[in-house]
Amino acid sequence: MPLAATVPVEAGAATPRGRTLRVRKAWPLLLAPIAVFNAVFFLTPLGTLVASSTEDRAYERVLQDPLVIKSMVNTLQISAVSTLATLVIGYLLAVAIWRRGPLMRIVLFALVLLPFWTGVLVKNFAWAVLLQDNGLVNGALQGIGLIDHPLALLHNRFAVVLGMVHYLLPYAVFPIFAALAAIDNRLELAARSLGASEKSVFRRIILPLTVPGVSAAGLLVFIICIGFFITPVVLGGPGDMMIANQINFYALELTDFPGASALALILTLIVSVLVALYQRILRAGGTHEVG
């Protein structure tokens, strides 16, 4: 009787251990497809870029090219201005959505997501039509008597920043809204019960608690800004070329593939550092919320 009672227990206990051992042995096989995919479509092209960038003093040449330096400065300036404008508008929109009821939130979220429902090329050409000399914007300003002649709204940095902000707005709204939604309503109620004004509640409670969300949104938007290519071409002028446009110029116009590879790797390195910072900010924000 004791033997009969112990045999099923031992057999039942051995089965999960055996399955665990089989899973541990099989996990490399489960990862094989994604490893092959990354090797073929990521590591191989990246290795080709690295090998090409070491030819013909590519790094030295591109870093001494005044046009490359100018495009890098343009990239940083345009990205910084676009990020700041996106964060300001995105914060205001996120607060407006946060203060509304469930039905109105759905409507406002749908409006924020409109840039995702059309292609970036379509949006840029739409802005080009609106901002041209005889476009809707200049026509409306002249119609109400604010200007006598059309303003130069197209093929300049203003148009580039406007197009980029239009595209990037959802990337700022959602992280900031998530930070706002995580705030305990009792904090604001307690502050108001103690006589705090609207400005004081925002400055002392809401704004500090949304800093992680704003930081994450700002870094995410800045990362995306650095790689913009179509918007400067369609809406910008010759002096608004960004680093992605310079890579295209080296590859297609100059047929200087080592130089294009060097610029691409420099851009990849910058974006990788920013992505690492973005992940660190997300982890710090999560720790802050838990604490």
Side-chain angles (χ1 to χ4, degrees):
M1 189 67 181
L3 182 60
T6 57
V7 169
V9 175
E10 292 178 357
T15 301
R17 286 199 298 267
R19 290 177 180 174
T20 303
L21 290 174
R22 286 197 297 270
V23 170
R24 289 179 179 177
K25 293 179 180 179
W27 74 264
L29 296 177
L30 297 176
L31 294 179
I34 190 65
V36 172
F37 181 87
N38 284 331
V40 173
F41 295 103
F42 178 71
L43 294 179
T44 301
L46 184 61
T48 303
L49 282 179
V50 172
S52 177
S53 66
T54 59
E55 301 174 359
D56 196 20
R57 299 182 300 108
Y59 290 99
E60 181 181 350
R61 288 189 297 103
V62 298
L63 292 178
Q64 291 178 351
D65 188 346
L67 289 178
V68 172
I69 303 301
K70 176 64 175 177
S71 65
M72 288 183 176
V73 173
N74 287 344
T75 300
L76 294 177
Q77 290 177 345
I78 294 174
S79 299
V81 174
S82 300
T83 299
L84 181 60
T86 303
L87 287 180
V88 172
I89 299 174
Y91 200 102
L92 295 176
L93 280 175
V95 171
I97 296 172
W98 180 50
R99 295 294 192 186
R100 297 298 181 269
L103 181 60
M104 195 61 187
R105 282 184 182 180
I106 295 175
V107 175
L108 292 175
F109 273 133
L111 294 176
V112 171
L113 284 171
L114 275 176
F116 282 153
W117 297 345
T118 53
V120 61
L121 193 59
V122 175
K123 291 194 290 286
N124 286 326
F125 278 113
W127 277 116
V129 172
L130 291 173
L131 298 177
Q132 60 186 345
D133 291 345
N134 57 348
L136 181 62
V137 175
N138 274 312
L141 293 176
Q142 287 179 302
I144 60 178
L146 290 179
I147 58 175
D148 296 327
H149 56 278
L151 299 176
L153 302 177
L154 188 60
H155 301 309
N156 52 35
R157 189 155 298 187
F158 166 78
V160 175
V161 171
L162 183 62
M164 291 173 65
V165 170
H166 179 219
Y167 177 85
L168 294 166
L169 202 54
Y171 293 98
V173 171
F174 286 101
I176 296 174
F177 176 81
L180 289 167
I183 298 176
D184 193 339
N185 293 331
R186 292 174 296 180
L187 296 175
E188 187 174 355
L189 293 175
R192 292 186 183 280
S193 68
L194 295 174
S197 63
E198 186 77 24
K199 291 182 179 179
S200 181
V201 170
F202 175 79
R203 182 170 56 88
R204 294 178 177 271
I205 297 177
I206 297 177
L207 186 59
L209 291 177
T210 55
V211 167
V214 174
S215 302
L219 195 51
L220 176 62
V221 169
F222 190 80
I223 290 170
I224 300 173
C225 284
I226 289 178
F228 261 81
F229 171 75
I230 296 177
T231 302
V233 172
V234 177
L235 301 179
D240 300 311
M241 180 181 291
M242 298 177 67
I243 190 66
N245 307 116
Q246 194 69 41
I247 294 173
N248 178 75
F249 179 75
Y250 264 76
L252 299 183
E253 301 295 332
L254 301 180
T255 61
D256 183 359
F257 296 110
S261 300
L263 284 175
L265 287 175
I266 292 173
L267 181 60
T268 302
L269 179 61
I270 295 173
V271 172
S272 299
V273 172
L274 292 176
V275 168
L277 291 174
Y278 176 70
Q279 295 296 330
R280 184 165 186 174
I281 288 177
L282 288 182
R283 288 194 296 270
T287 303
H288 174 76
E289 292 175 3
V290 173

